[in-house]
């Protein structure tokens, strides 16, 4: 969606396995993938117009328990941010994290996967 709209974006995830999987998915769908996907630590100090954050977790907070690193992840966008995560996880184990608090504040802005095409960046 962002690429089709000609927007400048990067994808950040705290998990190397997710980064690799996302890069593979971008390649397989003939989308730009080089210099698009980063783990949080390697993106520190950088910014982009739009940031897509992948936070797929199912049980424990893991990375999200580190407020300093989570803050870095959440402050890299200039114009907009998309957080891809499990609503169930964020309402349970992730609710007390910085991301959980942010998503709680914007709870009226949750969008299901099949509704993404309707969003204009």
């Amino acid at each position: 969606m962002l690429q089709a709209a000609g927007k400048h974006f990067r994808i950040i995830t705290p998990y190397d396995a997710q980064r690799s999987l996302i890069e593979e998915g971008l390649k397989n769908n003939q989308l730009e993938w080089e210099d698009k996907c980063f783990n949080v630590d390697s993106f520190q100090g950088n910014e982009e117009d739009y940031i897509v954050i992948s936070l797929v977790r199912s049980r424990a907070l893991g990375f999200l328990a580190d407020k300093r690193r989570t803050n870095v992840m959440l402050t890299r966008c200039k114009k907009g941010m998309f957080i891809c995560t499990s609503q169930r996880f964020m309402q349970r184990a992730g609710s007390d994290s910085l991301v959980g608090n942010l998503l709680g504040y914007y709870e009226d802005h949750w969008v299901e996967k099949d509704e993404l095409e309707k969003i204009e960046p």
Side-chain angles (χ1 to χ4, degrees), residues 6-92:
K7 304 296 183 185
H8 297 282
F9 71 96
R10 296 290 186 268
I11 303 166
I12 301 174
T13 179
Y15 312 108
D16 284 329
Q18 283 183 29
R19 183 191 48 75
S20 296
L21 188 63
I22 292 167
E23 280 184 347
E24 184 179 320
L26 292 171
K27 285 183 207 178
N28 291 342
N29 288 286
Q30 288 81 45
L31 296 170
E32 293 177 22
W33 64 273
E34 293 183 83
D35 197 37
K36 283 288 181 200
C37 197
F38 300 86
N39 71 32
V40 173
D41 294 328
S42 69
F43 200 70
Q44 188 168 353
N46 294 297
E47 294 180 321
E48 189 55 85
D49 288 347
Y50 294 90
I51 295 293
V52 177
I53 299 173
S54 175
L55 293 177
V56 180
R57 295 285 302 178
S58 59
R59 293 186 198 132
L61 280 180
F63 174 92
L64 295 175
D66 186 333
K67 288 186 179 188
R68 181 188 59 80
R69 291 173 75 204
T70 303
N71 185 55
V72 167
M73 180 179 61
L74 294 173
T75 58
R76 303 296 97 190
C77 67
K78 296 178 189 176
K79 296 182 179 180
M81 174 176 32
F82 297 85
I83 300 174
C84 302
T85 190
S86 161
Q87 188 173 11
R88 175 182 281 167
F89 170 74
M90 294 313 293
Q91 289 172 336
R92 294 181 180 160

